[in-house]
Amino acid sequence: MTQLFVQSLLLGLLQGGLYALLAVGLSLVFGILRVVNFAHGEFAMLGSFAAVFVVGMLGLPVWTGLIAAAVAGAAIAYATNILVLRPIYLSRMRQKGEYTIIATFLLSQFLIAAATLSFGTTYRKLPGLWDQNLAVFDYIYLSGNRIVAFVAAIAMIALLFFIVYRTDIGRAWRALTQNPLGAAVVGIDVNRYANLAFLASGAFAGLAAALLAPLMFVFPASGVIALVKAFIVVIIGGLGSIRGTLFAGLLLGVVEVMGTVYIDTGYTDAYGFALMIAVLLFRPQGLFGRTGRTV
Amino acid sequence: MTRIVLETQGLRKAFGGNQVIDGIDFRLAAGELVAIVGPNGAGKTSFLNLIAGQFRPNAGTIQLAGADVTQLAPNVPARRGLFRSFQNGGAFGRLSAIQNVALAGMVRGLGRREAESEAGKALARVGLSPVADWPADHLSGGQRKLIDFARLLLAKPEVALLDEPTAGVNPAIMEVMRAIIAEMRDKGVGFAVISHDLPWVFGLCQRVVVLASGRVLAAGSPDEVSADPAVREAYLA
Amino acid sequence: MTKLTHHLVPLLFVAAGLGLSLIGLRPVVADLLILSVYYLLLAGSWNLLAGFAGQYSFAHIGLATAGAYGTAALVIGGGLSGWAALVIMPVAVALLGGGLGLVALRVRGVQLPLITFAFAGAFAVFLAAASDITNGSMGLQLPKLVPGFDRSLYLVLGGILAGLFFIVQNWMIDGKLGLLMQAIRDNEDIAHGMGVGIFRVKIAAFMITAAIAGLAGSFYANYVGVLAPSMLSMGEMGYVVAMAVIGGLGYRYGPLIGVVIIRSIEYFVRGFGAEYTLVIITGVALLVVLFFREGVIAYVSRLMPRQTARWRS
Ligand SMILES: Nc1ncnc2c1ncn2[C@@H]1O[C@H](COP(=O)(O)OP(=O)(O)O)[C@@H](O)[C@H]1O
Ligand SMILES: [Mg+2]
């Protein structure tokens, strides 16, 4: 009984760490620029394809695949910011929020179509860094790949916390969040810090996808599933809150695994959805979210 | 005996630790015009937001025409005869001027055609007929404030709360506004008008309420209030 | 355009449906037109919801899918005729839409697109997983409305449904509801403060547009005859959004123009294969959104300045 519980809890946390890593870039970008990026899932998808290419085709070691994924994710995120988003959020048009959503949504569809054309629809797999099952306390078994992925995810999120709260980049980001116009007036280069935020967001998404790849599959439409998970995480945690994203990611992982183990194995995705609905009913702005001034 | 159309008692509102409205008692009679003045950030707009239901008070009560409207959503007091204008203008950007005004009649129960024909007359009264079909986005700031006044004509309220109608508006338009307010006040509408243009608003009002830091600093006739040393220090000096 | 023209448009579609069914079109063209009606209903109702009411829901394709699978359930499971399903499903899906509307009342701004996207994603996963009900990717088979492969009936029906859509749309946009919806779109707080009942307007907008989506889904099921979970892919939603924004969101004939443009492109590039078609269409949609911002109608009417006010709804 306790054995099953502890095992589920650990498994849930391991899974949740990856959800958090997947979603944290989305939340960061929203926090700074008020942009919801519907192409975030495709940053992840293209990152995992980069890893498959480097490891599967070039035969390089697995860890180089992780770097390739982060670099590819960052590059495509950077290009997205420059080509698609910047012209919108720096413009004076009305309904910018909705407009960026439509533009990034169409971009995501374009990237999926382009990836399908270039890579085909075959499901690919990435070898793991540590393909072994480990026994913890003699009776709990966890896959080595999951542990590696979790440790990497937590390390990356810790790094992000450090950047946000301890460095000049983070200070500038926070100034932008609180008052974009004021920040521009006191000489903070909005473009530069927006680019940095997108680079970080894309790198995190790509890395998360590459860490997930040994556990799941790599295919052109995989970004949609990643985005659904990331959305559920940021809605639960509160859009724009990094703390909230970390907490909600872990919570989502635990709730999914617990539901699967104790309720019914067929509906893993439904539990996260139910959790999201519950949060919306009691705290529409998310667990760590704030409501803004309206009138 | 004049009828009280709006009354608040012990109204309080805080955002986080910031006590924005700190216990305001306020009464407005039918046909009375009260000027609400005070420094920026005093809580004037927040006070209107509380009355209109845009903010939920932490404490206190609000009576509109004798009925309690505390804690009700904004559309309820609006339908019971409360009109309010917004500090930054209340126009809907993509709707034409005439549609913007017609809405005020439609929420009162008029059909769309009837509301639009009344809106046409109201626009003529405020001098906006030439731009009746323009989207509000294309109007100037002053023209957008006149939309609020055309709406006021259609809404036929018992109580009207106007938030800085005169800010950034030229003298000719201020005169149009004055005439409409005076006419409706004389028909028995109770007005609370926020303005920083003291000569203009003092020329219209019977009573002045000075707010500072969420409290009533002074109240009385324009002369009494202008002579009050506390008011001079907090606001006028 | 005058009110009279708006009222003539539905008649035009009904007449066109009748006329085309009599000429005897090539099957490829007939299929293209009939399925275009499905997309017109979806893009048009999404335009009412997003472009006029400001509610950017990504669950719209999910509602159409619900209408299609509901039709299958009624026909296969309940033994009803496809005609009955065409009447029942809009009502049933309107209730689903009302549920979405309740969610929309709880949230602000960008949250609605996120939640509805997650909703559609979860529904898609469910459909794919519940293979005992949906028969998995093999799909569900439905009988045709009338036996045989005659497309003329569907051309007539398509013309009628398109006409019906424009009647409903005229009634909404030129009536009270349309103006209240647009007020909420432009500034919900001010609308609320003026006395607009946000609850009623939003629920009405969601229910009416959901009914149209349900009708579209039921029509699709009755026409195509095979249902697969891929009907609910985000790619399909992308298609609908592309059609609505290419013409111009918030314009009465925006979706019609979008459907014509996209379906024509599709027709002319179909020789390259499905993968290329998708890249070309999503690419074009993206370029239009990036460079023509408010869509083709706004762009063209800016070239003809005097027309602006009339083309606007
Ligand atoms: N929605 C809100 N959230 C937090 N603080 C608010 C909000 N609305 C107003 N305030 C605060 O209340 C105070 C009074 O503001 P306001 O009523 O707009 O003043 P006034 O209209 O007199 O200039 C200000 O300090 C303002 O920052
Ligand atoms: Mg103010």
Side-chain angles (χ1 to χ4, degrees), chain A residues 94-95 293-295, chain B residues 49 54 86 94 137:
Chain A
R94 51 192 173 214
Q95 295 195 303
R293 181 170 184 166
T294 48
V295 185
Chain B
N49 280 341
Q54 247 104 15
F86 294 85
R94 288 180 78 174
D137 266 351

Side-chain angles (χ1 to χ4, degrees), chain A residues 87 98-99 109 273 281 284 294, chain C residues 56 106 111 189 235 289 293:
Chain A
E98 287 81 359
Y99 197 78
Q109 295 308 317
F273 201 68
L281 284 177
T294 48
Chain C
Y56 288 72
R106 291 284 295 168
Q111 267 188 323
D189 289 313
V289 167
R293 287 288 159 85

Side-chain angles (χ1 to χ4, degrees), chain B residues 17-233:
Chain B
N18 181 10
Q19 192 70 41
V20 172
I21 297 295
D22 197 3
I24 294 189
D25 299 322
F26 180 82
R27 287 178 138 209
L28 184 68
E32 187 185 25
L33 195 148
V34 176
I36 298 179
V37 302
N40 290 321
K44 303 181 295 295
T45 298
S46 302
F47 180 54
L48 298 199
N49 280 341
L50 283 169
I51 296 172
Q54 247 104 15
F55 291 168
R56 300 255 157 125
N58 300 126
T61 58
I62 305 161
Q63 308 262 324
L64 180 68
D68 187 86
V69 294
T70 323
Q71 308 285 352
L72 294 180
N75 58 322
V76 181
R79 282 171 188 245
R80 294 198 194 152
L82 180 80
F83 176 90
R84 78 158 294 190
S85 79
F86 294 85
Q87 187 166 351
N88 301 318
F92 302 107
R94 288 180 78 174
L95 295 184
S96 67
I98 197 161
Q99 291 173 332
N100 262 291
V101 176
L103 276 163
M106 282 165 43
V107 295
R108 230 181 62 212
L110 298 184
R112 179 149 167 187
R113 275 197 194 181
E114 208 181 332
E116 285 189 358
S117 95
E118 275 203 38
K121 287 179 216 152
L123 283 174
R125 169 84 197 268
V126 300
L128 289 186
S129 295
V131 295
D133 288 325
W134 289 23
D137 266 351
H138 296 188
L139 301 179
S140 72
Q143 287 173 322
R144 265 184 296 213
K145 296 225 156 175
L146 285 174
I147 292 216
D148 285 335
F149 275 78
R151 277 183 186 160
L152 175 62
L153 288 168
L154 246 74
K156 302 201 164 73
E158 284 206 59
V159 177
L161 313 173
L162 307 182
D163 196 350
E164 301 203 19
T166 55
V169 152
N170 69 39
I173 294 182
M174 280 169 64
E175 177 48 31
V176 173
M177 292 176 170
R178 197 199 60 75
I180 290 174
I181 293 174
E183 179 193 310
M184 294 187 75
R185 179 198 57 197
D186 295 343
K187 281 192 195 151
V189 179
F191 275 91
V193 180
I194 299 176
S195 179
H196 291 296
D197 191 312
L198 301 186
W200 182 84
V201 74
F202 283 3
L204 269 168
C205 72
Q206 286 97 322
R207 214 148 50 81
V208 182
V209 170
V210 184
L211 294 189
S213 310
R215 282 181 224 196
V216 177
L217 183 68
S221 74
D223 290 339
E224 283 163 22
V225 165
S226 327
D228 188 323
V231 175
R232 299 193 76 89
E233 191 191 334

